[in-house]
Amino acid sequence: MQDYVVLINLDDGVCHALARRLRAEGVYCRIMAGNASADEVLLADPRGVILATGCSGKATDVPGMMDYLQTGLPMLCLGDTALTLCTVMGGKLADAEGGIVTFTFDSKDDLFDGVEDGERFLPALKGMIFTDEQGSVCAAADDAVIGLHVRQRNVWGVAIPLERNDPAVTRLLTNFCSQVCGCTLWWNERTFIERAKASIQEAAGESDALCALSGGVDSGVSALLGHLALGQRLHCIFVDTGLLREGEAEEVMETYQQQVGLNLRRVDARADFLLALKGVTDPGEKERIIRSLLREILRRECEAIPGVKLLLRGTNYADAISPEDNALLPADVRVIEPVCELFKDEIRHVGESLGLSPATTTRQPFPGSGLASRIMAAVTAERLAILRTADALFRREIEALGLQKRLWQYFAALALSPLPGGGVMIILRAVQAAEGGSGMPARLPSDLLERVTEEIMQACPDVQRVFYDCTPSKTYARLAGK
């Protein structure tokens, strides 16, 4: 195993940003849960540990801090976790004057090699007070101490803000990983591909493997990695649920069977899913039914193909796989997740390196339950047809103007109309976001919305009203103070 550091996830946003920044610099890092024990960290065998949160001026609760200090591993605490380190070592915190402050770093310390002093904005500032026995000063903000170096433990705490694209933070991180921990800068997409290929070959041995394609980039990249490792010993299936967008089922077969050359078979399960979803209106129940039926189909396919002892699952870092997802598989089938440590954008880059087209790698996020989750009523063949048409018309107008480049997601949903005469309503939604979870509605041109509305109502006579959803996501509303 090549060398890497562990990031303890105490703050999703900060942790993910640091992971991306490190990997962009060629440093491989593995994210572990915020409550990971010191024993779990040692078992992972990293070269060092990084703890990081925002910079609010309040010590962060780090459940395993004392135990992490006993591992003997080099450790870097950034943001509020530096204040935690100070208090754990027996020091105290003192209020200091925030605002624009001048940061100075110990130039003799390897951690700050090449890190330049300079001004930063720090609205919430706490100074550290500790004795020489507890540590030494390694950073300051004006007259306040914000950096603690515990030399005997090879541990640093630096309470600096982790600003996006800050070269000082990037240099500090790479110094810790390379100069302190001794990590080599080996991480890149080609290296990942070779490692994934070797892992799949080792897991498969002489047996065959199965991979289910959903049409998304995660499962597509997993299938390509499996094909690279096993060739025709990888059996791919595409379960056509009937819940995809217009033309997507055909695109999946064209891309992966005709263009890429995967050993791919289409399983037509459209009637099965419609029957299973009949009369169901609750979104959670729809998702449960769809997942259950997909698991059953996957189990049947595993049993039907001789020699299959390995299942490749397209699970990225943000996905959550429940134990029941594997419960119905044959007992002798092992599961491997080739892209489980990557973020979505990293998977897209790997897909491009493997030869997938931009149209495939930049495909916008789509729920696992497909269009069923965007029908706010019972799912029927007629409603699916209406939604598929409305969604396609909206997407074409967006893409005709090139607006998709600044949007995270744009789609149509369907609801029953409460107005006299019945019929259905179409709700259009377009969202700008950096990470997907925090999004704001896009300000689309009014003439585009008027044009789409007219096209939808002409193509779908049962549509009574068309609306544009301007509601910010809950996460964005909270960030914006709304």
Side-chain angles (χ1 to χ4, degrees), residues 24 61 193 204 213 226 255 289 316 325 335 340 344 359 381 413 422 455:
D61 179 28
I193 291 170
L213 284 172
T255 297
I289 290 170
N316 68 36
D325 283 321
V335 177
C340 67
K344 180 71 75 173
E455 291 173 355

Side-chain angles (χ1 to χ4, degrees), residues 101-114:
V101 294
T102 300
F103 281 12
T104 54
F105 303 103
D106 181 0
S107 60
K108 298 179 182 179
D109 192 319
D110 287 344
L111 185 68
F112 303 104
D113 181 27

